[in-house]
Amino acid sequence: MATERVTNAAAAARCHDPYLRCALYGAAQTALGVRGCCVLSHSPQGCFQLVDAAFGWQDADYTETLTLCTKLCEDEIVHGGEGVLARTILEARELDVRLMFVVTACGPEIVGDDIMAVCQDLQPEVEFPLVPILCAGFRGDQNRGIEIALEAMLEHLVPEEGGFRVPRSVCLVAPHANSNPTWMGDLAWVREVLAAMGATVVATLAHDTAPEDFEKVPMAEGCLVLSHDAGQGAADLLAERYGVEQWCRDLPLPIGFSNTASWLRELGRRLGAEAVAEGMIARGEATVVERCRRKGLEQSPLHRTPAAIVADATVGVPLLRFLAEDLEVVPTLVCLRSGQADAQAMLEREIASLGVSPTVIRDADVYAAKKALGEARPEMVFGSNVERHAVEELGIPFVFRIVNPLSRFRMVDRAYFGYEGMLNLIEVMRNDWLDRYRSRHRRYRARW
Amino acid sequence: MDPSRIAFHGTLAQLVDKVESGEMVPKLQASHAPPCKFWTAFQVLNGIRHMAPVIHGPKGCTYSVASSYKMRGCEYRGVPLEPTTCTAQDEADVIYGGEGKLLEAVKEADQRYHPDLIVILSCCCSGIVGDDVETVAETAAFQVQARVLALRSEGFGGDFRSGYEDAFRALMDLMEPRTEVMKGTVNIIGAREGPTYTEWTQDLDEIQRLVKGIGARINGVLCGGCTVEEIRRASSAEINASWCYDWGQKLGDLMEERFGVPYARTGQPYGPAATEEWIMGVAEPLGLERQARQFIAEESAAVADEVRTLQRCFQGKTTLIEISEFPGPIRALSLARMAEEFGAHPVVINLHPYTVKERLPSLKFLLSRGENPEVILTHGIFALGSFNASASTQEDVAMIASQYDNALYVGSPLRQPGVPQLNMTTMTGYPQYGYRGIRNMARLAESGLEHAARPRSRLFKRVLYGD
């Protein structure tokens, strides 16, 4: 069935209430995925708060990863901030820095600080490599920043010559461009799967990545982009420069039975591990079924219930099939905050193949999402804490909080990918459902 | 004391002199950056109900303050989430300017959200390219239903403090001339969205209880969840009082100058004397001394046991008040005063030269009232890298504590210097202000003494200091 309506929310609006941060944040997120690095924010001190937030998103360890800021003020905007940048880089020599990324904010880029030249000039004076990343906020949103940073990493840290190819090896790209608040769980699942299929991960761009891993990037046979929101640019570069082939490109990420099975089969085919893939699928599905039998799978709130998805493309696109196919929900609205060019086409294919007809909103901001929810009036929303607030006046009873920002702290990483991921999502639904169902009214006083 | 760890040791007055004369450079090291002017200006405005900000900047600045302040404030205060909007400036706007887009965005915000107030905030981008936000605000004011203000709040344009002060200054444009004074009515000023480390709702609640206790009425808490209407009539309140002298001081001075609203200049109500002073500072100008005396007597009697506990805990001790994580500089000085009241010798640790510079008017006010405690600055707070600073400061504080036979540490549990300690950051320890604060602090102090010998856990040691 064809989509009834596809709207690009960002195109018409002048006034935006965004779900995303800017390019500086995305670049900082990416840089902070490198173990033992130092990220120097060439910016006023407010932008440093974005670097702090990125630090949290990458689960960086503050005993080994450093964040610094040039704290630009009016003087540096009027007279230029290259001097203070140079001074801060030199001061960092007293720290245990293995690699320094210099990320730049709007101010210094507009006034024309030549960050590239400063880094080039100072490189002989410091023992750590300097990687400048021009990622001013006005260059785009956080996903654009991830692309910019990945490109800078490939440019500065990956050797031009590929060397030998490691058989059955893979480079993982953009695992952090994923609105699952503990996306490290998804990454861990992918790593487990690859290991079981006998593959080697030569580098992850970027999470807990050792600086020396960059040298191995050209040795990869294939790359997997673990996001539908960012990373395609880097995958294209890897293909163009080093002949690293992208795997699973046109497949939704592995959320739900069908998506997970397709993804695993494709990976098995690439790695010559078809039997391993089939074994994983059989065992994984059996585990989910058995767990649901034993612990109970609540059907009544889900069965043919009109539902909305408000998420990024990484979670939102594959979630659609999981909800419609596995949980018998009827998706009436898909509101994507972001998504790469391919993600829209992928979503259209999914909608057609599932025979559903949700309204689709692309590039949604908070206003567009709220407005769409108001019009669609679903009975449940798969989204974030923002939607929990947004639907309060709309009378929509259930908001399952699965994507960032959440109002719940998670100490343990929970995957959405794979079979345990399905159980994790079902667990969130069950708890949020119970939370909403529980009465807040006290009708009489206890006697104990 | 190991001199290699000490950057300054003297009195508050001497430290202020050194900062003013440039002998101590009031600069924060690269890794310790408070928010910029834009963030802090937003923080103030975010404390106004039904205010739609239109941030003339890229998405990053917008989502960041929405996430850090708006969402957090909503969760903490239980108020509804309202929009945080921007023009989403891109490269084209930077090259060609974005005033037209801004005007359209303001109109769109008005149509979508029906706010009482729209505030245009400029960011680094719009500030540098010279977009005239004030003129856009003036133009928009004729085309929309809401009141419209503009605030130049480029992040590079000033320190974090200037954002608060400029936002308070801009809000005065919403105030009507002072005509008929609302007798017995008080504005609580200097508040922001909450919760910040310096501003807890429970403390504000206690302040409001004290005001009501003497028979006065509160017009509004500016800007701690106030309405535009409360701001509009704030100039007609009989008096302004601050929840914290430091944060309220600028708005208090400005409203006194522009509207003639008297301002009760008192410190924070920590301990019996400062609480009494705070209450009388409000009661006397309102002619409510008798009610206030009676209220103070009743409340004091109710916490007499707790006051005795605090005296027992503080008497004869050297109180080490370390502020880099919490309680912050002004609360630290208020605590120093309270410690002295209970018979202790206070030593304030790590009052950063940066914060001294930013708070000079408040510090001079406190000095003029005879509050001049001993101050120690350690090299730890100047260490580059936040982890280095934290681990190093723990060693510094432990070294200082070991110099005294009878030290009592007051601050954050991030440090555990091996002496009795009063944890000022526990969520169940608020309010710290007023009489309820006395009750809470007595409980915490007693627990601190009782459990002084307990060691720092292996878990915390390894997490916090990397041991």
Side-chain angles (χ1 to χ4, degrees):
Chain A
M1 201 177 296
T3 305
E4 280 179 2
R5 188 162 63 91
V6 180
T7 307
N8 181 345
R14 288 287 170 269
C15 179
H16 303 258
D17 189 354
Y19 278 110
L20 303 176
R21 291 188 174 93
C22 64
L24 172 72
Y25 171 73
Q29 262 190 3
T30 311
L32 284 161
V34 180
R35 197 187 310 153
C37 77
C38 172
V39 173
L40 168 56
S41 176
H42 185 43
S43 68
Q45 59 205 39
C47 304
F48 185 63
Q49 312 293 321
L50 275 80
V51 178
D52 257 0
F55 189 93
W57 189 251
Q58 268 288 0
D59 264 6
D61 182 337
Y62 72 115
T63 63
E64 59 181 33
T65 306
L66 288 160
T67 54
L68 304 174
C69 177
T70 49
K71 290 180 68 230
L72 302 177
C73 295
E74 218 153 27
D75 267 3
E76 289 80 28
I77 295 299
V78 175
H79 303 295
E82 292 172 9
V84 72
L85 174 60
R87 201 168 61 237
T88 314
I89 291 172
L90 293 174
E91 273 178 20
R93 287 184 296 192
E94 67 189 63
L95 303 168
D96 182 21
V97 172
R98 292 179 66 188
L99 167 65
M100 178 183 274
F101 294 100
V102 180
V103 293
T104 57
C106 298
E109 286 204 35
I110 297 174
V111 303
D113 281 0
D114 192 344
I115 293 103
M116 298 294 192
V118 172
C119 290
Q120 208 167 10
D121 290 351
L122 289 180
Q123 188 60 79
E125 296 185 45
V126 296
E127 287 183 355
F128 43 83
L130 286 166
V131 180
I133 304 176
L134 301 183
C135 52
F138 61 76
R139 288 179 183 270
D141 66 23
Q142 62 192 59
N143 290 316
R144 175 75 193 119
I146 290 173
E147 292 288 5
I148 292 171
L150 288 173
E151 196 179 326
M153 284 173 173
L154 295 177
E155 181 73 36
H156 291 270
L157 299 171
V158 177
E160 282 181 24
E161 293 301 319
F164 65 94
R165 191 81 68 194
V166 176
R168 298 152 69 83
S169 66
V170 62
C171 175
L172 302 178
V173 178
H176 54 299
N178 175 340
S179 63
N180 172 358
T182 46
W183 53 268
M184 302 83 178
D186 292 325
L187 175 60
W189 180 81
V190 170
R191 286 169 174 278
E192 272 172 36
V193 164
L194 288 166
M197 290 186 182
T200 310
V201 176
V202 293
T204 303
L205 305 175
H207 176 64
D208 202 22
T209 308
E212 53 271 21
D213 285 355
F214 287 102
E215 290 181 10
K216 301 179 206 155
V217 168
M219 301 173 185
E221 258 185 4
C223 92
L224 281 172
V225 178
L226 298 182
S227 171
H228 295 316
D229 294 276
Q232 190 55 50
D236 292 343
L237 263 178
L238 286 173
E240 186 188 318
R241 280 191 199 163
Y242 307 107
V244 178
E245 204 177 342
Q246 186 178 350
W247 299 346
C248 302
R249 176 170 182 166
D250 294 323
L251 294 178
L253 285 158
I255 295 179
F257 274 158
S258 295
N259 290 332
T260 304
S262 309
W263 201 82
L264 287 174
R265 283 194 179 108
E266 167 67 3
L267 212 52
R269 190 181 68 76
R270 292 282 187 178
L271 290 164
E274 289 91 341
V276 179
E278 291 305 327
M280 278 179 179
I281 295 163
R283 278 193 306 278
E285 292 192 358
T287 304
V288 172
V289 170
E290 189 186 339
R291 199 73 66 88
C292 288
R293 273 195 206 135
R294 288 174 189 275
K295 293 190 183 293
L297 173 64
E298 190 64 57
Q299 296 162 41
S300 54
L302 301 168
H303 183 66
R304 300 197 184 163
T305 304
I309 295 169
V310 184
D312 65 341
T314 302
V315 173
V317 173
L319 187 69
L320 180 70
R321 184 172 290 276
F322 175 49
L323 294 181
E325 208 172 68
D326 298 332
L327 297 181
E328 300 180 351
V329 162
V330 179
T332 53
L333 172 67
V334 179
C335 211
L336 297 183
R337 312 161 173 183
S338 53
Q340 299 185 127
D342 290 357
Q344 182 57 35
M346 187 186 288
L347 178 63
E348 289 300 325
R349 284 198 301 274
E350 287 293 283
I351 287 171
S353 130
L354 286 164
V356 292
S357 53
T359 298
V360 176
I361 311 282
R362 286 193 291 135
D363 296 325
D365 73 344
V366 176
Y367 177 76
K370 183 171 180 177
K371 193 161 169 265
L373 288 168
E375 284 165 9
R377 298 275 167 173
E379 288 175 25
M380 52 177 61
V381 182
F382 294 82
S384 71
N385 200 36
V386 173
E387 287 74 51
R388 187 175 69 87
H389 283 276
V391 304
E392 266 178 15
E393 293 140 31
L394 297 176
I396 295 172
F398 298 109
V399 177
F400 302 120
R401 284 163 285 169
I402 57 170
V403 294
N404 187 57
L406 283 194
S407 52
R408 287 173 175 176
F409 182 74
R410 285 184 185 172
M411 199 70 180
V412 175
D413 297 335
R414 284 168 175 266
Y416 293 164
F417 290 179
Y419 299 102
E420 201 169 296
M422 288 176 69
L423 295 171
N424 283 330
L425 285 164
I426 291 169
E427 189 177 286
V428 171
M429 290 178 217
R430 185 70 184 261
N431 281 321
D432 281 350
W433 183 74
L434 285 173
D435 203 34
R436 174 67 177 78
Y437 186 70
R438 191 176 297 126
S439 173
R440 266 81 172 163
H441 298 289
R442 289 169 57 189
R443 294 182 178 85
Y444 52 88
R445 289 174 67 110
R447 280 193 196 161
W448 59 302
Chain B
M1 215 169 284
D2 177 0
S4 68
R5 289 190 165 275
I6 305 300
F8 170 86
H9 192 170
T11 63
L12 174 62
Q14 288 167 336
L15 177 61
V16 168
D17 278 349
K18 277 181 181 288
V19 172
E20 272 201 299
S21 66
E23 202 179 322
M24 289 208 85
V25 182
K27 180 184 161 219
L28 267 185
Q29 65 271 36
S31 61
H32 287 198
C36 67
K37 178 177 182 169
F38 162 71
W39 280 59
T40 52
F42 179 87
Q43 215 178 353
V44 169
L45 300 164
N46 190 38
I48 303 169
R49 289 183 203 183
H50 312 311
M51 182 281 306
V54 177
I55 295 161
H56 192 30
K59 290 178 180 175
C61 307
T62 309
Y63 183 83
S64 294
V65 291
S67 163
S68 295
Y69 296 148
K70 179 73 81 183
M71 181 65 87
R72 196 180 58 170
C74 288
E75 298 287 336
Y76 180 66
R77 290 195 158 160
V79 299
L81 179 72
E82 293 190 325
T84 307
T85 77
C86 68
T87 51
Q89 274 192 307
D90 56 19
E91 257 171 312
D93 299 324
V94 169
I95 295 166
Y96 300 111
E99 290 172 5
K101 190 176 175 182
L102 173 62
L103 181 61
E104 291 306 311
V106 171
K107 288 197 270 187
E108 214 166 88
D110 189 60
Q111 286 159 13
R112 285 178 173 185
Y113 308 119
H114 313 292
D116 291 338
L117 173 66
I118 291 172
V119 183
I120 300 171
L121 292 114
S122 60
C123 285
C124 293
C125 276
S126 47
I128 296 171
V129 303
D131 280 354
D132 185 353
V133 291
E134 284 100 342
T135 302
V136 173
E138 280 170 23
T139 309
F142 293 105
Q143 300 179 34
V144 300
Q145 297 294 314
R147 296 287 302 268
V148 185
L149 290 179
L151 189 59
R152 288 206 164 270
S153 52
E154 300 87 63
F156 63 81
D159 54 50
F160 74 104
R161 196 179 175 82
S162 68
Y164 296 127
E165 295 187 352
D166 286 2
F168 282 129
R169 186 182 287 113
L171 288 180
M172 293 210 308
D173 289 345
L174 296 173
M175 295 177 189
E176 298 281 313
R178 185 176 172 87
T179 48
E180 196 175 335
V181 174
M182 299 185 288
K183 298 296 285 180
T185 301
V186 182
N187 296 314
I188 304 296
I189 57 173
R192 296 151 296 168
E193 47 87 47
T196 66
Y197 286 132
T198 53
E199 177 190 334
W200 293 96
T201 297
Q202 294 95 327
D203 280 336
L204 281 168
D205 290 347
E206 177 66 355
I207 288 273
Q208 295 186 56
R209 195 182 71 87
L210 298 181
V211 170
K212 285 174 187 160
I214 62 172
R217 199 165 56 83
I218 290 173
N219 168 59
V221 179
L222 278 52
C223 292
C226 64
T227 62
V228 172
E229 174 60 18
E230 285 165 356
I231 296 173
R232 190 189 63 76
R233 61 178 190 236
S235 49
S236 297
E238 196 166 356
I239 189 172
N240 279 331
S242 178
W243 71 276
C244 162
Y245 175 79
D246 187 41
W247 292 119
Q249 164 254 328
K250 191 70 183 182
L251 183 59
D253 288 350
L254 289 169
M255 284 180 70
E256 195 163 51
E257 192 182 301
R258 186 149 150 193
F259 301 108
V261 185
Y263 175 36
R265 289 174 172 75
T266 53
Q268 293 168 313
Y270 264 96
T275 300
E276 182 173 338
E277 193 177 285
W278 196 95
I279 292 171
M280 295 311 293
V282 175
E284 281 168 9
L286 299 179
L288 296 169
E289 295 98 318
R290 189 183 53 77
Q291 293 94 319
R293 293 271 170 229
Q294 190 183 335
F295 180 70
I296 290 166
E298 287 166 7
E299 292 285 322
S300 300
V303 295
D305 284 348
E306 285 85 354
V307 168
R308 276 191 290 277
T309 301
L310 285 165
Q311 280 165 340
R312 178 168 52 80
C313 295
F314 278 88
Q315 186 72 44
K317 300 272 201 317
T318 298
T319 305
L320 306 173
I321 306 163
E322 199 257 324
I323 69 169
S324 48
E325 307 295 339
F326 189 84
I330 300 297
R331 278 193 197 253
L333 295 171
S334 302
L335 282 164
R337 181 187 170 182
M338 185 187 82
E340 212 156 12
E341 183 185 2
F342 290 135
H345 170 68
V347 178
V348 175
I349 301 174
N350 287 341
L351 185 64
H352 201 291
Y354 181 85
T355 211
V356 170
K357 182 191 164 230
E358 298 311 314
R359 293 178 167 84
L360 271 178
S362 304
L363 295 178
K364 286 184 172 174
F365 164 75
L366 295 173
L367 284 169
S368 74
R369 299 165 74 93
E371 292 177 40
N372 187 23
E374 192 178 331
V375 178
I376 296 175
L377 268 62
T378 70
H379 285 300
I381 53 159
F382 298 97
L384 203 60
S386 50
F387 172 69
N388 295 9
S390 180
S392 172
T393 301
Q394 161 64 20
E395 288 171 14
D396 294 343
V397 173
M399 181 274 295
I400 294 169
S402 71
Q403 307 300 306
Y404 300 95
D405 295 333
N406 56 356
L408 169 69
Y409 175 79
V410 176
S412 141
L414 283 176
R415 323 267 179 250
Q416 191 162 313
V419 296
Q421 73 185 97
L422 202 158
N423 174 10
M424 297 302 294
T425 59
T426 178
M427 292 293 285
T428 52
Y430 293 93
Q432 295 175 359
Y433 279 7
Y435 298 104
R436 289 181 174 169
I438 288 170
R439 199 162 275 160
N440 281 326
M441 281 186 288
R443 182 169 51 83
L444 292 172
E446 203 154 35
S447 166
L449 287 185
E450 192 183 334
H451 302 294
R454 291 168 70 101
R456 172 113 274 173
S457 78
R458 199 152 53 89
L459 173 65
F460 276 124
K461 253 189 207 168
R462 293 176 68 178
V463 170
L464 296 174
Y465 319 130
D467 288 353

